[in-house]
Amino acid sequence: MASVLKVDTLTGVTTAGSISVTGEGHTTTTNLQQGLTKVWCKWNASVTVDDSFNQSSMVDVGTGDYEVVFTNDFGAASKFAAGALGGQYGVASGFMSWTGGGNNNTHADRIKVQFVNSSGSPTDCDKNTILVVGDLA
C-alpha cells in the first residue's frame, strides 16, 4: 500500500537544518540540504531572464561578461560552486570566476560568468544556464 506524506516544513530531529536521506542502493546517506541546487538561472544575450530560482538580478558587464546576483547570499564566497553552465552550441564555451563587481574581490551574493569563442575572444551567447550549489548564509 502506497502512502502520501503532506507537510509544509521538514526539520531534522538531531539538528534542525540537517536531514539525512538514504541513497538508492540503501547503503549510504546524503544530506538533503547540501544536495539541493540553491540558485539556477536561464537567460539570453540581451540579459533577459527566462526563468530562475533564488536569482534577483543580472548585470551585463560587457561582451560575454555577466554577473548573476543571488536573492539569498551564500555563507561566504568559498561556500558555493557552479554546477553547470550553458552557452550557444557550436559558438562559444564558457568559464566562471568567483569575482564580482569588475574587481578581484570575492562575493557571496553573485557569480561572474564569462563566455569566450574558440579564439578566446569574449562573445555574447543566446542560451545561457547556470546551476549553483553550496551553503546559504
Side-chain angles (χ1 to χ4, degrees), residues 1-136:
M1 172 186 232
S3 297
V4 176
L5 175 66
K6 294 183 179 183
V7 298
D8 290 326
T9 304
L10 292 174
T11 302
V13 174
T14 306
T15 304
S18 181
I19 297 175
S20 293
V21 178
T22 303
E24 294 86 343
H26 306 286
T27 58
T28 60
T29 60
T30 188
N31 183 287
L32 178 64
Q33 292 85 340
Q34 295 232 318
L36 299 174
T37 298
K38 305 299 177 28
V39 177
W40 62 266
C41 183
K42 179 180 171 189
W43 75 97
N44 63 26
S46 301
V47 198
T48 301
V49 174
D50 180 46
D51 205 355
S52 69
F53 174 74
N54 194 26
Q55 176 269 333
S56 62
S57 63
M58 295 287 299
V59 179
D60 187 354
V61 180
T63 302
D65 195 354
Y66 311 97
E67 289 182 5
V68 180
V69 182
F70 311 140
T71 303
N72 297 298
D73 295 0
F74 283 83
S78 62
K79 299 289 185 185
F80 68 89
L85 94 115
Q88 190 165 333
Y89 179 77
V91 176
S93 59
F95 66 91
M96 285 165 285
S97 64
W98 277 261
T99 59
N103 58 38
N104 291 325
N105 296 326
T106 56
H107 297 273
D109 69 335
R110 68 190 65 215
I111 189 168
K112 185 176 189 117
V113 181
Q114 297 174 308
F115 291 101
V116 295
N117 60 24
S118 59
S119 302
S121 300
T123 187
D124 286 328
C125 298
D126 199 43
K127 294 177 173 68
N128 309 299
T129 306
I130 188 170
L131 302 171
V132 186
V133 296
D135 298 333
L136 293 176

